[in-house]
């Protein structure tokens, strides 16, 4: 069965410092991987995706993520955090071999960036 | 361009009632998916529709149903509401099913069951 794990409920980082939000996944085939961000009382906003190719993926607002097949991980990173990055972050996976667009989401990680 | 529009934004219903939520996808998008978000269970997949056909259904009771119209607008219905149905219901759309480009989500409908 497909699954996604975000091991940290909350990540705290000081403004200007690098941030990492962790994600590991499990699928039977090859994965499509996504990161979304959610601000209070809003829907999910797409940040970036990994489909194939380069393991380092660059996305919106300076975020990037590294796909590591051997560790089945897709950690979200940003070199310098902003207070405005504070939000709820979700990692999601879809099995490429499945005939559905269904996404499996992790439980979410709250990112708190302090000035 | 207009995003995914969900109506209403907020809804308060009483246990036992039924409710219908609406989702208008981005123009040209034919695939619509629904998710339920709760603090305890996180984001759970409800349904996926493409060209008026349900492609996939999540592990929810039969009280949860949906449909898609010829203009790609979708509705979901929950009958005999329970307190546990209180959640943020999110709709997402894309050009096609199994999109590589990802999904665009609406802002959601916050349903409170009292």
């Amino acid at each position: 069965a497909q699954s996604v794990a975000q091991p940290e409920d909350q990540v705290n980082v000081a403004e200007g410092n690098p941030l990492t939000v962790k994600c590991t996944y499990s699928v039977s085939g090859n994965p499509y991987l996504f990161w979304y961000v959610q601000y209070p009382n809003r829907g999910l906003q797409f940040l970036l995706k990994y489909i194939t190719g380069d393991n380092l993926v660059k996305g919106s607002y300076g975020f990037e993520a590294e796909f590591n097949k051997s560790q089945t991980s897709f950690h979200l990173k940003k070199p310098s955090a902003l207070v405005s990055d504070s939000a709820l972050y979700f990692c999601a996976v879809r099995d490429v071999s499945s005939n559905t667009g269904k996404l499996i989401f992790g439980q979410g990680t709250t990112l708190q960036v302090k000035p | 361009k207009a995003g995914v529009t969900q109506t209403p934004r907020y809804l308060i219903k009483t246990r036992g009632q039924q409710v219908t939520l609406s989702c208008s996808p981005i123009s040209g998008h034919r695939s619509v998916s629904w998710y339920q978000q709760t603090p305890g269970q996180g984001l759970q997949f409800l349904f996926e529709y493409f060209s008026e056909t349900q492609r996939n259904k999540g592990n929810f009771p039969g009280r949860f149903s949906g449909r898609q119209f010829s203009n790609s607008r979708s509705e979901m219905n929950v009958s005999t509401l329970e307190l546990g149905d209180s959640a943020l219901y999110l709709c997402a759309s894309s050009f096609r099913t199994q999109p590589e480009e990802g999904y665009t989500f609406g802002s959601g409908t916050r349903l409170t069951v009292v």
Side-chain angles (χ1 to χ4, degrees):
Chain A
Q2 302 173 62
S3 65
V4 176
Q6 292 179 243
E8 301 152 317
D9 289 337
Q10 182 157 328
V11 170
N12 297 310
V13 64
E15 187 175 31
N17 282 0
L19 69 88
T20 299
V21 182
K22 295 180 180 177
C23 171
T24 58
Y25 66 91
S26 174
V27 296
S28 55
N30 290 321
Y32 283 179
L33 293 156
F34 302 86
W35 275 101
Y36 288 88
V37 60
Q38 186 177 36
Y39 295 98
N41 298 315
R42 301 298 301 274
L44 302 181
Q45 188 173 330
F46 172 79
L47 278 179
L48 51 78
K49 66 183 180 186
Y50 172 82
I51 303 299
T52 187
D54 226 352
N55 288 343
L56 185 62
V57 181
K58 294 189 183 297
S60 307
Y61 313 118
F63 283 94
E64 57 189 29
E66 186 166 11
F67 171 66
N68 187 317
K69 187 172 184 177
S70 62
Q71 297 185 5
T72 61
S73 67
F74 190 55
H75 301 330
L76 181 70
K77 300 181 180 184
K78 187 173 183 181
S80 179
L82 300 173
V83 172
S84 58
D85 292 331
S86 298
L88 182 57
Y89 290 79
F90 289 97
C91 179
V93 69
R94 180 164 75 77
D95 189 335
V96 173
S97 61
S98 73
N99 64 350
T100 171
K102 172 184 173 182
L103 291 175
I104 303 297
F105 285 90
Q107 284 294 96
T109 298
T110 299
L111 174 65
Q112 186 74 39
V113 182
K114 297 185 178 177
Chain B
K1 63 181 179 182
V4 178
T5 303
Q6 292 189 245
T7 56
R9 285 296 310 276
Y10 301 93
L11 205 49
I12 299 175
K13 289 286 188 178
T14 304
R15 258 186 315 176
Q17 287 186 314
Q18 76 166 17
V19 67
T20 299
L21 311 182
S22 178
C23 171
S24 293
I26 289 173
S27 178
H29 284 193
R30 295 169 62 193
S31 176
V32 172
S33 297
W34 289 88
Y35 291 83
Q36 181 197 64
Q37 184 179 15
T38 59
Q41 298 298 315
L43 280 154
Q44 303 283 314
F45 172 79
L46 280 159
F47 325 98
E48 176 190 4
Y49 288 90
F50 182 77
S51 293
E52 302 178 65
T53 301
Q54 188 178 90
R55 299 261 311 178
N56 200 0
K57 188 178 193 299
N59 189 23
F60 279 81
R63 300 185 297 108
F64 290 80
S65 62
R67 58 179 176 170
Q68 187 180 32
F69 301 95
S70 58
N71 62 357
S72 294
R73 190 177 70 86
S74 178
E75 289 182 346
M76 67 163 283
N77 184 278
V78 188
S79 62
T80 320
L81 284 165
E82 300 177 359
L83 296 179
D85 298 333
S86 295
L88 179 66
Y89 289 88
L90 293 167
C91 167
S93 76
S94 65
F95 283 107
R96 57 192 175 95
T97 188
Q98 305 170 53
E100 291 185 5
E101 66 273 18
Y103 294 88
T104 302
F105 280 80
S107 294
T109 294
R110 173 75 62 184
L111 172 65
T112 302
V113 182
V114 297

